[in-house]
Amino acid sequence: MRALVTGGCGFIGSHVVRALLTRGWEVTNLDALTYAANPLNLSGVEAQTGYTFVEGDICDTPLVRALVRGADVVLNFAAETHVDRSLLKPASFVHADVQGVVSLLDALRGEPGAAFFHMSTDEVFGALEPPLEADEDQPFAPTSPYSASKAAAELQVRAYSHSYGMPATVIRACNIYGPNQHVEKFIPLFITRAIAGEPLPLYGDGRQQREWLYIDDFVSALLAAIALPRVDCVRAIHAGSGERVTNLDVATSICSLTARPVSLIRPVDDRPGHDRRYALDSSRMRGLGWRPMVPLLSGLARTVSWYQEHPEIWSRALSGQGFEGYFEEQYRTRLAGADTL
Ligand SMILES: NC(=O)c1ccc[n+]([C@@H]2O[C@H](COP(=O)([O-])OP(=O)(O)OC[C@H]3O[C@@H](n4cnc5c(N)ncnc54)[C@H](O)[C@@H]3O)[C@@H](O)[C@H]2O)c1
């Protein structure tokens, strides 16, 4: 089997590339190598038989068209992904997350052999009051430039599927975590700062609730979705763990796993428009026999160990990638006025 994976140098894409190669697939990885890419996430893979890397933008339709030819599946993980950055620079999210998807869809028209899998997020539904869980038919209500771009991309997938009879599967996942994730994201940011004994900037009261899925469990969900019989329409499927905790709980667990006092946690001014709660109903995915195998505390322990053992990989994002400037803009003033918990 042949796959075109986009965004394979990022967090999720790098795990997917490895998983497919291990199963004997041929994999072409198309990645624009933005600040979020880390080629070290794929170290050792370059030399593997069946792996090809192409540096390029998914918005380059002729390039994508050439790469799609002969692929059995196209898995789209290329995107701008950080909500905080979407609040600072919304336009880049429309480029990668909406225009990029339209470009992929244009390239896929006329290539009936390739099944398209598009990665989306629980954030397209906006905040949900308990006990509500979003099933696959929940209406969209995105609130950030990131989630609005992801919702717009999904609407394009639906429109192309409806108009041109293109098969497509949209996988909406809750928050995913594990090795290889960029240090700007909540869990890696807190782990790497806790390792260094630096204050942990927690937005608002920290009571925002998120659902967390370990990366290996996401990969097994994706493989289950790829194995489904093909349909001639668009199909959505949710991959969530059902394990929902507050950000404060996650921060406290990270302090405990890194043997740091909770006094490192500093409540800071909240992110504007911060959604309070996301929750997915993943019974369709569970109906395929899929189950998450890694409970949050075990996954966090594994993740903390990985960041402790592999600074040579994650620290690449700290140098020459504009991270310091971003951290300064996002957190420095907030932290200056912050007290301990
Ligand atoms: N991480 C999560 O918790 C999570 C949860 C749900 C959905 N998602 C979605 O999963 C996908 C992957 O997320 P991630 O966390 O691995 O992201 P990431 O930021 O770690 O990686 C994104 C990758 O895409 C590449 N890229 C960006 N724009 C590109 C373009 N125009 N052309 C080609 N490559 C480009 C980057 O260079 C990078 O390697 C995204 O669609 C994201 O919205 C992520």
Side-chain angles (χ1 to χ4, degrees):
M1 293 281 277
R2 283 189 185 171
L4 171 63
V5 177
T6 71
C9 297
F11 165 46
I12 299 172
S14 62
H15 287 273
V16 170
V17 166
R18 285 184 191 276
L20 294 178
L21 287 169
T22 303
R23 286 163 180 78
W25 288 56
E26 285 179 39
V27 178
T28 299
N29 170 18
L30 171 64
D31 197 299
L33 299 183
T34 70
Y35 82 91
N38 187 349
L40 297 179
N41 286 345
L42 289 173
S43 54
V45 164
E46 304 85 354
Q48 262 179 261
T49 322
Y51 177 71
T52 307
F53 175 66
V54 178
E55 181 177 348
D57 192 324
I58 54 170
C59 293
D60 181 347
T61 313
L63 171 66
V64 179
R65 192 169 288 133
L67 297 176
V68 161
R69 232 162 267 143
D72 298 297
V73 301
V74 175
L75 307 171
N76 181 33
F77 298 101
E80 290 290 336
T81 59
H82 194 32
V83 178
D84 287 329
R85 289 193 194 250
S86 83
L87 292 159
L88 298 172
K89 290 198 177 108
S92 57
F93 283 68
V94 176
H95 173 81
D97 300 13
V98 187
Q99 190 57 44
V101 173
V102 170
S103 165
L104 282 171
L105 290 164
D106 276 335
L108 277 155
R109 282 172 66 186
E111 289 296 332
F116 182 46
F117 292 80
H118 172 67
M119 181 69 185
S120 195
T121 164
D122 56 2
E123 300 192 29
V124 296
F125 303 121
L128 300 181
E129 288 293 328
L132 198 59
E133 297 180 332
D135 68 12
E136 284 79 359
D137 300 321
Q138 173 82 18
F140 292 167
T143 57
S144 72
Y146 165 69
S147 55
S149 300
K150 298 297 292 184
E154 280 205 44
L155 293 177
Q156 292 291 352
V157 175
R158 271 199 220 178
Y160 271 68
S161 179
H162 180 79
S163 304
Y164 307 116
M166 290 167 56
T169 302
V170 173
I171 302 181
R172 299 189 194 111
C174 63
N175 281 15
I176 301 170
Y177 70 101
N180 293 1
Q181 193 168 25
H182 193 284
V183 292
E184 68 188 1
K185 302 291 182 349
F186 172 47
I187 286 181
L189 181 74
F190 274 37
I191 291 176
T192 54
R193 287 183 68 80
I195 290 170
E198 303 274 7
L200 310 177
L202 184 72
Y203 285 139
D205 63 4
R207 307 275 171 196
Q208 307 86 356
Q209 214 180 76
R210 296 291 180 269
E211 183 169 334
W212 291 100
L213 183 67
Y214 190 66
I215 183 67
D216 291 359
D217 285 327
F218 170 74
V219 171
S220 64
L222 175 72
L223 294 172
I226 292 174
L228 282 172
R230 285 184 66 155
V231 284
D232 287 329
C233 57
V234 68
R235 150 171 72 194
I237 190 154
H238 287 178
S241 62
E243 247 191 304
R244 299 173 197 130
V245 298
T246 66
N247 290 347
L248 179 58
D249 289 334
V250 172
T252 307
S253 298
I254 289 172
C255 287
S256 150
L257 289 163
T258 52
R260 297 291 185 194
V262 288
S263 58
L264 268 193
I265 301 172
R266 304 288 154 81
V268 297
D269 286 350
D270 207 350
R271 166 197 286 167
H274 204 170
D275 286 338
R276 290 299 278 183
R277 177 179 175 272
Y278 302 128
L280 287 179
D281 172 347
S282 302
S283 35
R284 189 175 289 176
M285 182 65 87
R286 285 171 179 265
L288 304 179
W290 172 82
R291 298 282 179 279
M293 304 302 288
V294 184
L296 180 57
L297 265 185
S298 320
L300 273 180
R302 285 192 207 181
T303 307
V304 165
S305 300
W306 185 85
Y307 281 88
Q308 283 168 331
E309 288 159 18
H310 294 287
E312 78 289 357
I313 297 181
W314 58 260
S315 62
R316 188 183 181 278
L318 302 178
S319 55
Q321 302 286 313
F323 179 75
E324 260 179 34
Y326 162 75
F327 186 87
E328 194 71 28
E329 185 170 2
Q330 193 62 25
Y331 292 112
R332 200 63 76 192
T333 317
R334 282 180 158 101
L335 272 173
D339 284 329
T340 49
L341 264 182

